[in-house]
Amino acid sequence: MAQLIDGKVLSAQIRAEVKEAVSKRIDSGKRPPYLAVVLIGEDPASASYVHGKAKASAEVGIRSDTMTYDADISEQEVLKIVERLNRDDSVDGILVQLPLPSHIDDRKIINAISPAKDVDCFHPESVGNLVIGLDGFQPATPAGIIEMITRSGIETSGQHCVIIGRSNIVGKPLANLMLKKGIDATVTVCHSRTKNLPEIARQADILVAAIGWPNFVTGDMVKEGAIVIDVGINRVDDASRERGYRLVGDVDFGAAFEKASYITPVPGGVGPMTIAVLLQNTLMAATS
Ligand code: NDP
């Protein structure tokens, strides 16, 4: 039976560390770090993520402003907003909430953000630094996963980490962090064209699921004693809940729980860690 890795507890530790550092910074006469968030359109999920980020920032003493714009704003106007934030010395971090409306090219907007303010770690320069192992902003969800593993005292050196999913926000950056000196995992990344995926998953000492498919990882894909990290956040209908759905991950939790040595729950696992790393990045942007 597995031990739970509690993202709420571990993220609270990180938030407390950031809060202490922010308060020391203010005691020394400096202004609080400032995160500028750009939210475009009415997507309820995006609005809810942005609200969560603003609330978490306020709790640790980081100033954050959310600038909201209608979905029909032009790409040119968004670029101008980013340029203005780049030039504004009082702004430490810039976060443009994705996805953007379809007439706006996400990549163009991300590339326009100053790498010095790129707290999401999506700019090509940030990604390049990550790949060659230089210090810099951390990709929020992958770094949150590394924090969960290392703060739980789990050894990563020489362990075989199998990541299912190769997205630019989870799978690929996580593979790079897992390979980093000091973490030293041996990494396999799987995707929709991978052959014999269950067989590969069964070889994992650390199995990470980042697919977006409820119960994709079944019990027979988990090696006895493996560490299972479930990144997925999926809504499944549930008439017994007031809101009509519940959130589940990509892993069949009950079956994996019986075989794994450690497992992350959904909700309350990787999700809270993501915001905690964003706060760390914003503090770093203010101090560097
Ligand atoms: P993407 O849709 O960008 O990527 C999904 C990946 O899964 C792709 O690489 C895709 O492969 C792969 N995949 C899809 N179907 C299969 C299959 N049948 N077999 C093997 N691989 C498959 O998703 P994200 O990475 O953005 O997110 C993944 C999940 O994590 C989602 O549920 C999302 O909500 C959640 N998430 C949670 C976060 C958190 O804070 N906890 C943060 C970010 C995401 P291919 O590339 O070949 O298409």
Side-chain angles (χ1 to χ4, degrees), residues 42-155:
E42 314 264 293
D43 177 40
S46 291
S48 148
Y49 292 143
V50 163
H51 174 72
K53 289 167 187 175
K55 188 165 167 273
S57 298
E59 279 165 9
V60 299
I62 290 177
R63 179 185 158 205
S64 92
D65 278 335
T66 302
M67 285 155 263
T68 50
Y69 300 93
D70 291 339
D72 62 359
I73 188 171
S74 72
E75 186 178 88
Q76 210 46 41
E77 280 174 280
V78 181
L79 286 169
K80 273 192 199 150
I81 292 161
V82 170
E83 273 315 314
R84 185 170 52 72
L85 295 172
N86 282 343
R87 283 195 306 272
D88 184 341
D89 288 339
S90 72
V91 173
D92 299 305
I94 303 172
L95 188 155
V96 179
Q97 184 64 42
L98 302 179
L100 295 173
S102 57
H103 65 280
I104 302 176
D105 181 349
D106 290 10
R107 202 17 84 189
K108 257 193 201 165
I109 305 301
I110 290 167
N111 292 0
I113 295 173
S114 162
K117 300 186 179 187
D118 177 36
V119 289
D120 254 342
C121 195
F122 289 162
H123 190 282
E125 188 173 315
S126 310
V127 178
N129 286 338
L130 170 70
V131 173
I132 56 178
L134 293 179
D135 289 338
F137 294 123
Q138 298 286 303
T141 302
I145 292 169
I146 300 287
E147 291 274 11
M148 292 183 106
I149 291 174
T150 53
R151 285 175 190 252
S152 301
I154 294 166
E155 180 60 78

Side-chain angles (χ1 to χ4, degrees), residues 170-189:
V170 188
K172 281 188 216 156
L174 179 60
N176 285 287
L177 286 182
M178 283 284 178
L179 286 173
K180 219 176 151 175
K181 292 247 186 229
I183 300 295
D184 299 317
T186 302
V187 181
T188 303
V189 182

Side-chain angles (χ1 to χ4, degrees), residues 3 25 62 74 78 127 162 225 233 260 264:
Q3 209 171 312
R25 186 183 149 83
I62 290 177
S74 72
V78 181
V127 178
V162 174
I233 303 177
T264 64

Side-chain angles (χ1 to χ4, degrees), residues 49 140-142 145 164-172 189-194 197 209-214 216 230-234 248-250 266 269-275:
Y49 292 143
T141 302
I145 292 169
I164 312 178
R166 59 171 164 182
S167 73
N168 288 334
I169 62 166
V170 188
K172 281 188 216 156
V189 182
C190 302
H191 47 80
S192 64
R193 302 299 166 100
T194 299
L197 196 150
I211 308 137
W213 186 327
F216 182 93
D230 192 352
V231 186
I233 303 177
N234 308 292
V248 299
D250 289 344
V266 177
V270 176
M273 302 300 289
T274 299
I275 291 190

